[in-house]
Each structure stands twice: as structure tokens, then as C-alpha cells.
Amino acid sequence: MKTRLTTAFVALVLGCVSIGAAAAEVATPGVKVPDHTRFVLPNGLTVILVPKKDVPLIAFSGFVRGGALVDPDGKPGVASLVAGLLDRGAGKRSAYEFADAVEGVGGTFSAGATAEAITVSGQFLARDRALLVELLSDALMRPHFAADEFSSYRDREIEFIKSAKDSDPSQLVGIYGRAALFGAHPYGRPQGGSERSLAAITQGDVVSYHATNFGADRTTLVFAGDLDAKWMKQALTTAFSGWAKAKAAPPQLKPAPRITGRRVLLIDSPGAVQTYFWLGNVGVDRRYSGRPALDLVNTLYGGRFTSILNTELRIKSGLSYGANSSFVRGSVPGEFSIRSFTQTDTTGQALDLTLQTLDTLKHDALAPEMLESSRAYVLGQYPLRLETAANWAATLADLEFYGLGKDYIEGYGPALAKVDLAETAAVTADAFPRPADLVLVLIGDAAKIRAAAAKYGAVTEMKLSQPDFAPVS
């Protein structure tokens, strides 16, 4: 049965099919993982080298297993602070000297924390390869964590959260959403910390985290670009062979169950003229077998400008300037979420329409034209994300982290090409939540939207000004 949404949506997407289909014909057979070398040092450090000599630079990407997953109890944000301080003084260089060394040669260096790892990435000109290896080894093995840099960086992160609350809560709604959905599970922790937890973290916590959770056996480094594999292997062996293994065992992570029923977290922002909302449930993990079909369905539902969600909430009704949906896929299932915002007085209308689109997706079959449109779009976009050395460094690091083979990349295009309507129906039934099984998070003026929020389930309230991302129990 062709649905009311489908009828309206097909008219919007048909114009994309012919262009996307042409891209698909080119893209499907073309994505190949480049030849590369992988070796493991005696201390457990894994290195992957990807010669790619089209431009004279070397990109790197790497990870140290752990991340927010091993933050000390009651102190989320330690891993994030550790990551942010890695290049603020390391080895023989102060924070200024480290930054000057990177910028002086036109390089880049960044680090961050995810739920399951601390990541590093950047790129340097190939002629500066020795400096790259020196700075990277200093940052990972010999960070200073100086008291003044720690205090400055921690205070800046606290101010960032306060500023987001004052000016753009959309940056935070996902953090509230994950906390409400996952609760005490590690995926529910604010990876960057909260105002309260950051204020409680000491320099000693950061030093202890690094001493306990950093080590060669937890780390993988990937280099891609204009590199001499023999030189790189020798230089990396010399630089990292003295690194000990981490003191702690690698963390284990158990999956969180999907929720049943609805519950609502209302975050009061008095005087707010808009309501930011997030709806979610536990989704699927990185190894989900229906990945190609799921990507096609989510692209149609909330993954692009002409998606069902954006069409209904922005283009047709004018209730919002944007709406999207996404799956976060980790070692265990992360969240499926929908995000949007609307004026305060249209909060109930926008939520009703959002739930209606999800209900229609769950119950009505996709039209063949919609599937072909999504297939062409995804196939056309996929190769574009694997063009540069930095893309390949990040991709191979991702494969290594999750223990995936190269077929995860090379088989993706052919798998997309074979997805049929039965597969899209199967993943829609399996991975997308029922509208009746959702956590709803609303950030807005509670006095004006409290009644509307109560329509969707039992409501828990907290104030946006509270220094945590979950109500204090």
C-alpha cells in the first residue's frame, strides 16, 4: 500500500534518482581498501601503514581503548580532559611550544574522547615525518598534564557547557537524551563531563587515568599518505618500543536493553521561545547484519534534507527549520534518535507529527521509487567519504577497533545494490522503535509545555540550570 507520506515524498525524491543512479553505476564497483601493512610491536602496539602517494602528506588516526567507559565512578569527563590535554605540553615542549611545532610546519593535531576510546588524528607534510612521529609519541607517552594547563582547560570546558545552555541547548539535547535512555550504563555518561563532575575532577584524576589506561597494548596507530613504509616502521619501532602495556585490563561493555513504554524528561528553561526535542531508544551495534538496508531506510526517514522527517516538519508544515534521525553504532547497540526543535506553542503539534511519521514508517511499506532514490543517494555519497589519506587512516582505524574485515568497506556497495523491499521492511521492524517505546527529552519553558509533555508519558522534570545531565535521584 502506498501511504500518504509515501505519495508526497516520492514527488520530492524522484528528481534525485536520475543523478544518483548515474553515480551509483560508477561507485558500486569502485571502493577498494588500499594495500596496506599491519604489524604489532612486542609491547602490543598495533600499527597500520597505508601508502597513498597522490599528495605529499601523511595523515594519521589512532585510538587508545577505554575512553569514557573507564572514567572513574562519579567523575565522567576525565577521559575527555585527558584527551584535550595530550598536546598541551608533552615531551620536551610546553603547550605553546607543542602548538608552535605543529602550526610551524602547517600540520594538524587533535585528540578527543568517545564512549570507548581516546582518539588522535592529524596530518603533516611528508617531509616532516620525523616531527610527526616525535610529537605523536610525546603526546601519547609523555604528556605533562601541568597544573595550570589542567585548570585552564577544565574551566574552559565548564564554561562551554554553561554557554551552550544559555545560547544553544541543541548542542546538549543528545547528552540529556543518552543519560535518560541509558541511565547507569556507560553509554549514558556525559563523555565531556557535566558542570558538577568536571568541577570535581582533579589533576591527580587525569594523571591517574593516563597512568592506568594508556599503554601500547591498548593502542592502534594508522598512517596513510606519502610514506616510506620501511622508514616509518623503523621510526615507529624506535619511538614506541619503550612504551609499557597499560596497567588495567581492557574494559568490557555489556549491551543495554531496549526500553518499553514511554517516559519523558522535561528540562525547564524559563523564558525559552523554542522547544528542543530528542526521541530515542536503543538501536543496533556496529556489526548489525542489516546495515545496508538500515542505512537506506534511515536516509529516507531522517538522513537527508528531503527525508520524510524534514519534509513533514520543515517543508510541509513549517514547524521546524530542521529534523533528522540517526543510529549510533558501537561495540554494543547505541541509540537511535530523532532530533528537532520548534516554537514553544507548537511543541505538541511537532511531537505529534514526529510520532506520526515514525508510526507510518513502521506500518506502511516503502514505495519502490523511494528505495531506488535512497540507494542512489547513499551509493553516490559513499565513495566521496573515502577519497583522502585522512579518510583512509580513519576508516582503517575504525575497522581495527571493531575487528571488522575489509569486506565491511568493499562489500558495502554491492550489498546496497542488492537490498530489496523485504529487507527494508525487516530492518524497519527490527531496528526502528515503536512510537510507543521511546524516551522523550524536551528542553523548553516547562510552564508552557508541561501539559503537552504529559500527553506522551510519565514526566520527570529538572532545570536546565542544574549542573548535571540527569535528575539527581
Side-chain angles (χ1 to χ4, degrees):
M1 178 178 68
K2 186 174 288 186
T3 70
R4 57 191 181 280
L5 276 179
T6 303
T7 303
F9 184 71
V10 166
L12 286 170
V13 301
L14 280 178
C16 304
V17 172
S18 59
I19 297 173
E25 290 176 2
V26 175
T28 300
V31 178
K32 297 290 183 184
V33 175
D35 292 337
H36 57 276
T37 301
R38 178 184 184 277
F39 60 92
V40 181
L41 298 183
N43 57 9
L45 178 74
T46 300
V47 178
I48 298 173
L49 303 175
V50 191
K52 195 174 188 301
K53 297 183 178 295
D54 45 353
V55 291
L57 58 80
I58 299 174
F60 66 92
S61 184
F63 60 83
V64 183
R65 290 186 187 275
L69 180 59
V70 290
D71 274 341
D73 289 342
K75 292 189 175 181
V78 174
S80 179
L81 292 180
V82 169
L85 290 164
L86 289 179
D87 64 348
R88 291 183 172 228
K92 63 185 179 184
R93 294 177 174 85
S94 66
Y96 175 82
E97 290 167 339
F98 195 102
D100 186 58
V102 175
E103 295 168 2
V105 297
T108 62
F109 184 102
S110 64
T114 70
E116 300 182 58
I118 285 180
T119 62
V120 291
S121 63
Q123 59 185 25
F124 285 69
L125 290 172
R127 69 188 182 197
D128 299 315
R129 61 189 183 180
L131 179 63
L132 184 166
V133 173
E134 179 185 346
L135 293 175
L136 183 57
S137 62
D138 281 345
L140 291 173
M141 299 167 59
R142 294 175 287 275
H144 293 173
F145 300 129
D148 57 341
E149 294 294 339
F150 164 78
S151 298
S152 172
Y153 186 68
R154 181 193 60 179
D155 293 348
R156 193 193 75 173
E157 293 301 290
I158 294 172
E159 289 304 315
F160 170 80
I161 296 172
K162 292 179 178 177
S163 175
K165 288 182 174 180
D166 290 337
S167 60
D168 186 10
S170 67
Q171 300 179 63
L172 307 175
V173 69
I175 302 174
Y176 285 103
R178 286 187 291 276
L181 174 61
F182 289 102
H185 187 276
Y187 279 2
R189 297 172 188 164
Q191 295 168 20
S194 67
E195 294 161 84
R196 187 192 303 275
S197 73
L198 288 170
I201 294 170
T202 67
Q203 180 194 16
D205 292 324
V206 170
V207 172
S208 176
Y209 182 104
H210 182 269
T212 304
N213 295 296
F214 270 56
D217 57 325
R218 293 266 201 102
T219 305
T220 290
L221 299 173
V222 183
F223 302 84
D226 186 10
L227 57 83
D228 179 329
K230 182 178 180 180
W231 186 94
M232 288 294 293
K233 183 175 183 178
Q234 181 58 52
L236 292 164
T237 300
T238 301
F240 286 97
S241 61
W243 198 10
K245 295 182 179 180
K247 294 179 180 176
Q252 300 296 313
L253 187 61
K254 296 181 179 179
R258 291 179 180 173
I259 68 155
T260 56
R262 280 194 199 147
R263 54 178 186 258
V264 181
L265 176 63
L266 175 55
I267 302 159
D268 186 22
S269 177
V273 297
Q274 296 188 124
T275 300
Y276 298 88
F277 58 89
W278 182 103
L279 294 74
N281 201 340
V282 177
V284 300
D285 66 19
R286 186 60 66 99
R287 292 176 171 273
Y288 185 61
S289 60
R291 168 193 173 219
L294 188 65
D295 288 348
L296 295 180
V297 176
N298 190 60
T299 296
L300 286 169
Y301 181 65
R304 63 180 180 180
F305 184 80
T306 57
S307 70
I308 293 169
L309 262 178
N310 206 49
T311 297
E312 292 297 316
L313 289 172
R314 172 177 168 138
I315 299 173
K316 292 176 63 179
S317 68
L319 289 170
S320 176
Y321 284 112
N324 63 78
S325 67
S326 63
F327 285 88
V328 174
R329 289 173 272 201
S331 297
V332 298
E335 75 272 16
F336 163 78
S337 65
I338 298 169
R339 300 183 189 208
S340 189
F341 59 98
T342 190
Q343 292 183 352
T344 299
D345 60 358
T346 57
T347 298
Q349 188 180 352
L351 286 170
D352 285 344
L353 187 54
T354 299
L355 294 172
Q356 178 185 321
T357 64
L358 186 57
D359 185 66
T360 301
L361 180 74
K362 293 286 288 184
H363 289 95
D364 295 344
L366 298 177
E369 297 90 345
M370 298 175 70
L371 173 59
E372 293 310 315
S373 170
S374 183
R375 193 196 318 273
Y377 180 85
V378 176
L379 279 170
Q381 293 291 312
Y382 188 57
L384 302 179
R385 298 199 296 269
L386 294 169
E387 288 188 322
T388 68
N391 294 152
W392 279 113
T395 298
L396 290 175
D398 194 62
L399 295 181
E400 180 72 20
F401 186 86
Y402 291 106
L404 303 168
K406 67 177 183 179
D407 191 58
Y408 193 81
I409 301 300
E410 296 180 353
Y412 186 61
L416 284 170
K418 295 177 182 177
V419 171
D420 58 24
L421 290 173
E423 291 175 88
T424 63
V427 299
T428 302
D430 178 56
F432 285 84
R434 297 188 312 139
D437 298 325
L438 288 170
V439 167
L440 284 73
V441 173
L442 315 178
I443 303 177
D445 190 332
K448 296 179 179 178
I449 63 175
R450 184 174 289 118
K455 286 175 51 183
Y456 305 102
V459 177
T460 301
E461 288 196 29
M462 64 181 291
K463 294 185 178 299
L464 185 62
S465 58
Q466 286 181 223
D468 299 297
F469 289 106
V472 177
S473 57

